[in-house]
Amino acid sequence: MTATDMNERILVSAPGKVILFGEHSVVYQKTAVAASLGLKSYLFLERRQDNIIELVLPDVNVDKTWELHQFPLRSVDFPDSDTRHPTDMPTELKSRLDELTEIEQDTSQRQAVLAFLYLLIMMEQKSATPLTHGFTLCVRSFLPVGAGLGSSASYSVAVATALLILFKEIPSDFTKSAQSEQHLEKINTYAFKAEQVLHGNPSGVDNAIATYGGAKSFMRGQGFATLEGFQSLRLLLTNTKVPRSTNALVAGVGEKRKNYPLIIEPMLDSMNAIALHCCDAFKKSQDKETLMDELEDLVSLNHCLLEGLGVSHPSLEKIRMITAESGLKTKLTGAGGGGCAVTFIRDDVPQTLIDQVMLQLQGEGFDCYETSVGGAGSGAVTLTKGETKNWLLQASRDTLEHYF
Amino acid sequence: MTATDMNERILVSAPGKVILFGEHSVVYQKTAVAASLGLKSYLFLERRQDNIIELVLPDVNVDKTWELHQFPLRSVDFPDSDTRHPTDMPTELKSRLDELTEIEQDTSQRQAVLAFLYLLIMMEQKSATPLTHGFTLCVRSFLPVGAGLGSSASYSVAVATALLILFKEIPSDFTKSAQSEQHLEKINTYAFKAEQVLHGNPSGVDNAIATYGGAKSFMRGQGFATLEGFQSLRLLLTNTKVPRSTNALVAGVGEKRKNYPLIIEPMLDSMNAIALHCCDAFKKSQDKETLMDELEDLVSLNHCLLEGLGVSHPSLEKIRMITAESGLKTKLTGAGGGGCAVTFIRDDVPQTLIDQVMLQLQGEGFDCYETSVGGAGSGAVTLTKGETKNWLLQASRDTLEHYF
């Protein structure tokens, strides 16, 4: 039995993440809360009869093939991931990776190919079952890139999940397995390695959320904790499509804090209390109405504090104004200065109202997604109806969501 | 020589006030800063040859006359203002005041007439020079009523100033006198008594600012201090004309503070630091550019914190958006929930830009005034060109401002 003697085709999904509370204040050792986002990356994996490894990533315009014999696989010395940071890799491995990646510029294309190859080589080396045939792996993401929605981690988790299934390290129905916790941990560990290769020093929150789903509170250098009692909520995600520099925004807040310490420090404390109140609100398991009342208050408070720090943008204020006219509360999410905004939707808000608000937002040129937060993490299903790579490329978001 | 053997006609002015920083947080023992507003009340006082006392207040639709002999004046027991609160007045005085006021409902008309009569009776009783002839007193205010701009105190200070001049307690050029400080103190003391009659327990800040001008920092129950180094600044004042209940807004903040103490308390601390930073910014006597940079930062910070407390309003956010498009920073002033907004204008902002912004704001239905903060307090000039009561009623704001 070989590694590819598996289910012929599988579909894997991994959610994005959205920061609910605590962006920017998290830089100053305050608590933040992030949750999984209903917008996901979907991965189609198909075994092949030949020796071709094909990677298709339509979102970043990648369509590459390798032959099995090109790979160093078991022949290179792979760093012990527990003691050595993935970026500190042996010269031979590094040069082989560069050779195989074939993209020199540091683009999102290169990043995506590199993460795939890194995971493939690492797993092959550690796997008991060698790779004897090729496979096609195609990933399509509904997460806007560079918008603070964890598209990179979502991709890494999807690839890690698929390759672990390919190498039979986890079953394809791993979420239903009695050992699901161990399986998820394995996925998360590999995905984190890929994130480290791509980003140097990621917090690990994004991949943990893409793996486990739900919501996590976190504090810099202190790890993160799962939010007890968290429940999936309806969410409107609006992308202003206004580009911004996260570094410049973080630096701007740093400047304000330096100039006005006695004004800014209490604001950061207030933001910390907002994140902690969110954790408590779910833990208390109060009725949904009260919970939503509190969450909406926290949304308004946190947004205003962020606006005070100077990281809002006219486009974000416009979203707030449009949604407020329909009684909905909105805050920026992530770095701000453009980027995305989140609006929690109560259960009793009629679809017609949401449709109308979305139309207004789209009329302003924004992308608008009706989705959820706090749903499941990584998952996989075996495909049985003759789905192909092209099927994935053409499927609607609705179609794909129905598989999970 | 009698009390009315004075300069025939005088014009008195007293500014309004505007809260620059610290509204709402001031309720919780935090520092606030208020300054005089270039929008003023103007008072025309003319001695008459007959015994008629005429009070004309076009803004509240009052045109009343009394005959000199109607007055109780020296015949009633007037409370010692130093030991007894003005509202705790002897029954006889109270009933005579009610009789003379002739307005039963508690309207702004009644308040204005009552304040005038109270000051007149009190001064006449204490004055060395009895009133032997009648006079016409006409007050016109450019301050919107009930908008948190100190229109009441501005009126009380103008009336107190005029009556003190009428009774020769102070000279009509009191601002140029070597004893100007004592004269101003007298005006302020009388105006405060009138404010107490009208409002029960006023802080005294509004009348102090209308009397002395400039800017004051204050804290509940702790009195107030003059801002050192304060300089008059250009200001755009925009009145949304959205009515609101100050009590309901204050109660709303109290509710938020009760529900989210760990979030709201730091926000109030931050607001306190904003007001203190404002005081320091003027005291440091740094260059105007740096001062304006800091003031604009404080304006944005304080507004966002107030918005977080839930006391902004879509109309106020619209003003912020319109002015921001021209690079101007705006905050709500006073209770919020509508009411007024202030925009500091740097010296180098061209008039064409201000005109354009004002047109936009007026296009949204707002009243918009180009004025100043921190200018002089109460003042009086002797009229020499045959001006009449009707002249005051018809004069433009520009015309009247030129007298001071």
Coordinates of all heavy atoms in Angstrom, one line a residue, chain A residues 67-97:
Chain A
E67 N 8.1 16.7 -11.7 CA 8.0 15.3 -11.8 C 8.6 14.7 -10.5 O 9.4 15.3 -9.9 CB 8.9 14.8 -13.0 CG 8.2 15.1 -14.3 CD 8.8 14.5 -15.5 OE1 9.4 13.3 -15.3 OE2 8.8 15.1 -16.6
L68 N 8.0 13.6 -10.1 CA 8.4 13.0 -8.8 C 9.9 12.9 -8.6 O 10.4 13.2 -7.5 CB 7.7 11.6 -8.7 CG 7.2 11.1 -7.4 CD1 6.4 12.2 -6.7 CD2 6.5 9.8 -7.5
H69 N 10.6 12.5 -9.7 CA 12.1 12.3 -9.5 C 12.9 13.6 -9.3 O 14.0 13.5 -8.9 CB 12.6 11.5 -10.8 CG 12.6 12.4 -12.0 ND1 13.6 13.3 -12.2 CD2 11.8 12.5 -13.0 CE1 13.4 14.0 -13.4 NE2 12.2 13.5 -13.9
Q70 N 12.2 14.7 -9.6 CA 12.9 16.0 -9.3 C 13.1 16.3 -7.9 O 13.9 17.1 -7.5 CB 12.0 17.2 -9.9 CG 12.1 17.5 -11.3 CD 11.3 18.7 -11.7 OE1 10.1 18.6 -11.8 NE2 11.9 19.8 -11.7
F71 N 12.3 15.6 -7.1 CA 12.3 16.0 -5.6 C 13.5 15.4 -4.9 O 13.9 14.3 -5.1 CB 11.0 15.5 -5.0 CG 9.9 16.6 -5.2 CD1 9.4 16.7 -6.4 CD2 9.6 17.4 -4.2 CE1 8.4 17.7 -6.6 CE2 8.6 18.4 -4.4 CZ 8.0 18.5 -5.6
P72 N 14.0 16.2 -3.9 CA 15.1 15.7 -3.1 C 14.5 14.7 -2.1 O 15.0 13.6 -1.8 CB 15.6 16.9 -2.4 CG 14.5 17.9 -2.4 CD 13.6 17.6 -3.5
L73 N 13.3 15.0 -1.6 CA 12.6 14.2 -0.7 C 13.5 13.6 0.4 O 14.2 14.3 1.1 CB 11.8 13.1 -1.4 CG 10.8 13.8 -2.4 CD1 10.0 12.7 -3.2 CD2 9.8 14.7 -1.7
R74 N 13.6 12.3 0.5 CA 14.3 11.7 1.6 C 15.8 11.9 1.5 O 16.5 11.6 2.5 CB 14.0 10.2 1.6 CG 12.7 9.9 2.3 CD 12.1 8.6 1.8 NE 10.6 8.7 2.1 CZ 10.1 8.2 3.3 NH1 10.9 7.6 4.2 NH2 8.8 8.3 3.5
S75 N 16.3 12.4 0.4 CA 17.8 12.6 0.3 C 18.3 13.8 1.0 O 19.5 13.9 1.1 CB 18.1 12.6 -1.2 OG 17.7 13.8 -1.8
V76 N 17.5 14.7 1.4 CA 18.1 15.9 2.1 C 17.9 15.9 3.6 O 16.9 15.2 4.1 CB 17.6 17.3 1.5 CG1 17.8 17.4 0.0 CG2 16.1 17.5 1.9
D77 N 18.8 16.5 4.2 CA 18.7 16.6 5.7 C 17.6 17.6 6.1 O 17.8 18.8 5.8 CB 20.1 17.0 6.2 CG 20.1 17.2 7.7 OD1 19.3 16.6 8.4 OD2 20.8 18.1 8.2
F78 N 16.6 17.2 6.7 CA 15.5 18.1 7.1 C 15.7 18.6 8.5 O 15.9 17.8 9.4 CB 14.2 17.5 6.9 CG 13.1 18.5 6.6 CD1 12.8 18.8 5.2 CD2 12.5 19.2 7.6 CE1 11.8 19.7 4.9 CE2 11.5 20.1 7.3 CZ 11.2 20.4 6.0
P79 N 15.6 19.9 8.8 CA 15.8 20.3 10.2 C 14.8 19.7 11.1 O 13.7 19.5 10.8 CB 15.6 21.8 10.1 CG 14.8 22.1 8.8 CD 15.2 21.0 7.9
D80 N 15.3 19.4 12.3 CA 14.4 19.0 13.4 C 13.5 20.1 13.8 O 13.9 21.1 14.4 CB 15.2 18.5 14.6 CG 14.3 18.0 15.7 OD1 13.0 18.3 15.6 OD2 14.8 17.4 16.6
S81 N 12.2 20.1 13.4 CA 11.4 21.2 13.5 C 11.2 21.6 15.0 O 10.8 22.8 15.3 CB 10.0 21.0 12.9 OG 9.8 19.6 12.6
D82 N 11.4 20.8 15.9 CA 11.2 21.1 17.3 C 12.3 22.0 17.9 O 12.1 22.7 18.8 CB 11.1 19.9 18.2 CG 9.8 19.1 17.8 OD1 8.9 19.7 17.3 OD2 9.8 17.8 18.0
T83 N 13.5 21.9 17.3 CA 14.6 22.6 17.9 C 15.1 23.7 17.0 O 15.9 24.6 17.5 CB 15.8 21.6 18.2 OG1 16.2 21.0 17.0 CG2 15.4 20.6 19.2
R84 N 14.7 23.7 15.8 CA 15.3 24.6 14.8 C 14.2 25.4 14.2 O 13.2 24.8 13.7 CB 16.1 23.8 13.8 CG 17.1 24.6 13.0 CD 18.1 23.6 12.4 NE 19.0 24.3 11.5 CZ 20.0 23.7 10.9 NH1 20.2 22.4 11.1 NH2 20.8 24.4 10.1
H85 N 14.3 26.7 14.1 CA 13.3 27.5 13.4 C 13.3 27.2 11.9 O 14.4 27.1 11.3 CB 13.5 29.0 13.6 CG 12.4 29.9 13.2 ND1 12.1 30.2 11.9 CD2 11.4 30.4 13.9 CE1 11.0 30.9 11.9 NE2 10.5 31.1 13.1
P86 N 12.1 27.0 11.3 CA 12.1 26.6 9.9 C 12.9 27.5 8.9 O 13.3 27.1 7.9 CB 10.6 26.6 9.6 CG 9.9 26.5 10.8 CD 10.8 27.1 11.9
T87 N 13.0 28.8 9.3 CA 13.7 29.7 8.3 C 15.2 29.5 8.4 O 15.9 29.8 7.5 CB 13.4 31.2 8.7 OG1 13.7 31.4 10.0 CG2 11.9 31.5 8.4
D88 N 15.6 28.8 9.5 CA 17.0 28.5 9.7 C 17.3 27.2 9.1 O 17.8 26.2 9.8 CB 17.3 28.6 11.2 CG 18.8 28.3 11.5 OD1 19.6 28.5 10.6 OD2 19.0 27.8 12.6
M89 N 17.1 27.0 7.8 CA 17.2 25.6 7.2 C 18.5 25.4 6.6 O 19.2 26.3 6.2 CB 16.1 25.4 6.2 CG 16.0 26.4 5.0 SD 14.7 26.0 3.8 CE 13.3 26.8 4.6
P90 N 18.9 24.1 6.5 CA 20.2 23.8 5.9 C 20.4 24.3 4.5 O 19.4 24.3 3.8 CB 20.2 22.2 5.9 CG 19.2 21.8 6.9 CD 18.2 22.9 6.9
T91 N 21.6 24.7 4.1 CA 21.8 25.3 2.8 C 21.3 24.4 1.7 O 20.7 24.9 0.7 CB 23.3 25.5 2.6 OG1 23.8 26.0 3.8 CG2 23.6 26.5 1.5
E92 N 21.5 23.1 1.8 CA 21.1 22.2 0.7 C 19.6 22.2 0.5 O 19.1 22.3 -0.6 CB 21.6 20.7 1.0 CG 21.5 19.8 -0.2 CD 21.5 18.3 0.1 OE1 21.9 18.0 1.3 OE2 21.1 17.5 -0.7
L93 N 18.9 22.1 1.6 CA 17.4 22.2 1.5 C 17.0 23.5 0.9 O 16.1 23.5 0.0 CB 16.8 22.0 2.9 CG 15.3 22.1 3.0 CD1 14.6 21.1 2.1 CD2 14.8 22.0 4.5
K94 N 17.6 24.6 1.4 CA 17.2 25.9 0.9 C 17.4 26.0 -0.6 O 16.5 26.5 -1.3 CB 18.0 26.9 1.7 CG 17.5 28.4 1.5 CD 18.3 29.3 2.4 CE 17.8 30.8 2.3 NZ 17.2 31.1 1.0
S95 N 18.6 25.5 -1.0 CA 18.8 25.7 -2.5 C 17.9 24.8 -3.3 O 17.5 25.2 -4.4 CB 20.3 25.5 -2.8 OG 20.6 24.1 -2.5
R96 N 17.6 23.6 -2.8 CA 16.7 22.7 -3.5 C 15.3 23.3 -3.6 O 14.6 23.3 -4.6 CB 16.6 21.3 -2.9 CG 17.9 20.5 -2.9 CD 18.5 20.4 -4.3 NE 17.6 19.7 -5.3 CZ 17.7 18.3 -5.5 NH1 18.7 17.6 -4.9 NH2 16.9 17.7 -6.3
L97 N 14.9 23.9 -2.5 CA 13.6 24.6 -2.5 C 13.5 25.7 -3.5 O 12.6 25.9 -4.2 CB 13.3 25.1 -1.0 CG 12.6 24.2 -0.1 CD1 12.5 24.8 1.3 CD2 11.2 23.8 -0.5

